[in-house]
């Protein structure tokens, strides 16, 4: 587990949160970040699944996937 990569992903999630106005009204930043925990399988970070208890629009979901790819590539 690389803490630098995890922190980079969290930073990118924070950027997404700050650019997406409706998210700021729906939940606090720390809850948004907590919706995308990083899980590892055989030492490799697995792509985060969409949260089951919170609906994301397509653009936000894609932005999260891009942030993951940029952080863990």
């Amino acid at each position: 587990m690389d803490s630098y990569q995890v922190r980079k992903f969290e930073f990118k999630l924070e950027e997404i949160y700050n650019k997406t106005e409706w998210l700021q009204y729906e939940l606090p930043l720390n809850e948004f970040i907590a919706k995308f925990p990083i899980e590892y399988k055989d030492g490799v970070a697995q792509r985060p699944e969409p949260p089951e208890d919170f609906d994301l629009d397509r653009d936000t979901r894609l932005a999260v996937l891009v942030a993951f790819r940029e952080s863990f590539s």
Side-chain angles (χ1 to χ4, degrees):
M1 178 203 285
D2 186 351
S3 62
Y4 172 75
Q5 290 175 318
V6 172
R7 184 63 193 128
K8 184 176 179 182
F9 180 59
E10 290 175 349
F11 179 73
K12 289 183 177 290
L13 288 176
E14 185 175 346
E15 288 178 341
I16 293 167
Y17 179 86
N18 289 332
K19 290 178 184 176
T20 311
E21 244 180 76
W22 69 268
L23 274 176
Q24 298 171 27
Y25 292 109
E26 294 290 324
L27 66 160
L29 173 62
N30 60 343
E31 286 184 29
F32 176 66
I33 291 173
K35 300 260 183 221
F36 302 98
I38 301 300
E39 296 179 8
Y40 290 86
K41 184 175 181 180
D42 298 325
V44 178
Q46 301 298 302
R47 184 175 66 176
E49 295 297 322
E52 293 180 11
D53 62 342
F54 189 77
D55 288 329
L56 293 174
D57 63 335
R58 181 178 182 274
D59 292 336
T60 305
R61 174 72 181 134
L62 290 176
V64 169
L65 293 176
V66 168
F68 175 80
R69 187 185 66 213
E70 290 175 348
S71 300
F72 291 96
S73 293

